[in-house]
Amino acid sequence: MTTVPESRRPLAPEPALSVRQVLTLERVLAGEPEVVAGAAQLDRPVRWVHVAEAADVGVMLSGGEMVLTTGVLLAGDESRQAEYIQSLHRAEAAAVVLGLGRAFPAPPEVMRRAAERCGLPLVVLHRPFPFAELTEEVQSRLVRRKYAAISLSETVRTALTGLITAGAPLQRLLDEVARHSGCPVVVTNLAHRVLGTAGERSAVDDVLRDWERIARQAGGGAGDGWIPAELGGRGERWGRLLLCGYRGDAATGRLLADRAAEALVLHRMLGGARADSWEEQSAQSLLTDLVSGVVPARQLLPRARAAGLPVNRRTFVPLVVQGRGTERVDRVLRLLGLPGIAAEVADGAAAVLLSLARDQDADALTTHFATRLRDGAPAVVAAAAARTAWEDVPAGLREARHVADAVAGLPAGLDRPAVVRLKDVHLRGLIRLLRDDPQVQSFAERELDGLLCDAEPELLNVLRTYLATGRNKSRTARLHHVSRPALYRRLEAIQGRLGVDLDDFEQAASVHIALLAHDAQQG
């Protein structure tokens, strides 16, 4: 999600002319307009202006017209006057403007009462006024707005098509839609879980904080600036795009939302995206922001809740999984019925955040999850201590990543628990924390100099396994598939090159620490 600077944000199209706005036009003010009925409905949009005198004018209208009349055919017949108003009401006219003087010297009471009952704005003009001037003024303004809407639609279509052709990610498309709409943009799945957002951060946060209500409000269609557009193809719906609080003309907003929806569908089809790929991107964005700490956790809480993660009175278990893709992780989560999100945060590593009820056994469920995840193939599941406060989740994810990094340096074939925790990494974990210290780097190079300058890495690998197994020669030989005599020769070569005695505990410990530091520095 990005914030669009004010200087680069285009002005949203002006709203369609309302009855109230028409009455403020300079040419109309010259006629001294007075609203005598339906004052509460002056914000109705005016789609067109029509001059009509016939009592059955409603049959000629299609809705949204402002009707201008002198009433010459209505004078002296109160029933015709009432029918005239009712006909306009049935046709859903925006308002009726009556010019006083020729037929009616004062506002006709029958028409006023009928308009008030119907909620139809009735405006009288106290000074003679050429209707042609008003018609010309309003029609020209409406045409300009319609042209502006079409122009905006084509501009958005061209911009989004260019981004898709260039291989831009979903977020870049949403940012472009937000830039043109001037309001927050939200993409959801059919369960109303938020998959992506764009717009000013503060405005988006306001939307997400009240997302449950907004999702229900927008479910029935557009209203008060909440303009939805369905996402799907080949007869199947799979999501929705929503403009949140669009301030322009509703018709323009619908056109803009439709163009954006078309682009998102095309983006998904051309990218060969799986049905859940946007869910993965949403989870990845949230987890990445949590791990980085750039955005305070409390500001990410609305995003987590809108993404469908339970956050109220929960126990959070931060995990990092190596050796298993997010597709497998998501499958196990669904199989076990565990609420959580997962996303790849580095090559071969997935971050997972479990959200458990307070009365559930977090350790037992985490172990069960890890066991099912590792079934059939090796994988590392590193876990931080469970957290009950959302603000502690970022530190927990960083702790889990630290544990996973420390375990990654262990030679293959060594036993490890189903879930590796901070207490299991011991010295290796400490060295990982200190790996960037220049003195530690210098120590590692000095201790291992005799092996680091060798182009053959086999001796270094044997040393790594030998020290990791607690200097167990039998196990080291078995893991490297060599005989014990062959291993002895390698160990003698190692000791000769390093100038140490590995049977001496202190010297072996010094070499072991240097090797851990070297491995940590190599990543």
Side-chain angles (χ1 to χ4, degrees), residues 326-349:
T326 54
E327 187 175 357
R328 167 70 174 173
V329 172
D330 285 334
R331 189 159 60 246
V332 173
L333 286 175
R334 289 193 296 268
L335 180 65
L336 300 180
L338 294 176
I341 55 176
E344 184 174 336
V345 292
D347 290 341

Side-chain angles (χ1 to χ4, degrees), residues 29-300:
L29 290 175
E32 297 182 8
E34 178 189 1
V35 179
V36 296
Q41 303 296 323
L42 293 182
D43 291 320
R44 286 180 174 182
V46 176
R47 189 184 61 82
W48 208 244
V49 177
H50 191 69
V51 180
E53 303 287 357
D56 60 348
V57 63
V59 299
M60 297 181 284
L61 305 180
S62 57
E65 294 90 350
M66 174 178 276
V67 177
L68 311 180
T69 182
T70 61
V72 292
L73 300 181
L74 304 175
D77 190 334
E78 293 186 347
S79 63
R80 288 169 66 89
Q81 295 170 21
E83 174 57 28
Y84 184 83
I85 295 297
Q86 291 167 2
S87 175
L88 294 178
H89 170 64
R90 289 192 297 269
E92 299 182 347
V96 58
V97 177
L98 174 65
L100 300 180
R102 184 176 178 184
F104 295 99
E109 186 62 20
V110 172
M111 293 180 68
R112 190 196 67 77
R113 286 198 305 267
E116 193 66 51
R117 284 194 300 270
C118 295
L120 176 69
L122 172 60
V123 182
V124 296
L125 300 175
H126 289 279
R127 293 176 63 86
F129 184 87
F131 285 166
E133 291 186 9
L134 175 58
T135 302
E136 178 184 6
E137 175 77 11
V138 175
Q139 310 297 49
S140 64
R141 287 175 179 262
L142 291 174
V143 169
R144 287 199 299 270
R145 278 161 176 74
K146 187 172 184 179
Y147 174 79
I150 295 173
S151 177
L152 174 63
S153 170
E154 289 307 307
T155 299
V156 171
R157 187 201 300 271
T158 301
L160 295 179
T161 301
L163 289 173
I164 293 172
T165 304
L170 169 66
Q171 186 61 56
R172 184 67 187 86
L173 270 66
L174 296 182
D175 289 340
E176 187 70 12
V177 176
R179 188 173 77 85
H180 286 282
S181 67
C183 68
V185 178
V186 176
V187 173
T188 75
N189 62 13
L190 294 181
H192 303 302
R193 292 187 176 182
V194 174
L195 308 180
T197 62
E200 290 188 43
R201 185 178 295 277
S202 60
V204 171
D205 287 346
D206 287 342
V207 169
L208 296 184
R209 268 191 289 272
D210 200 20
W211 178 247
E212 185 175 346
R213 181 189 64 80
I214 288 174
R216 290 197 304 268
Q217 172 183 324
D224 297 328
W226 306 101
I227 303 178
E230 301 299 328
L231 301 175
R234 299 171 183 171
E236 180 184 7
R237 289 193 310 120
W238 39 259
R240 168 179 285 188
L241 176 140
L242 181 65
L243 303 185
C244 302
Y246 181 72
R247 294 189 298 271
D249 171 37
T252 302
R254 285 192 292 271
L255 197 59
L256 179 57
D258 288 343
R259 294 296 84 77
E262 290 171 5
L264 295 190
V265 171
L266 179 62
H267 176 270
R268 188 161 181 162
M269 291 175 62
L270 292 180
R274 301 192 315 274
D276 58 352
S277 63
W278 285 2
E279 284 84 346
E280 289 181 11
Q281 293 179 39
S282 173
Q284 184 179 49
S285 174
L286 175 59
L287 289 171
T288 299
D289 284 346
L290 282 169
V291 171
S292 69
V294 174
V295 183
R298 65 179 179 277
Q299 293 185 17
L300 297 173

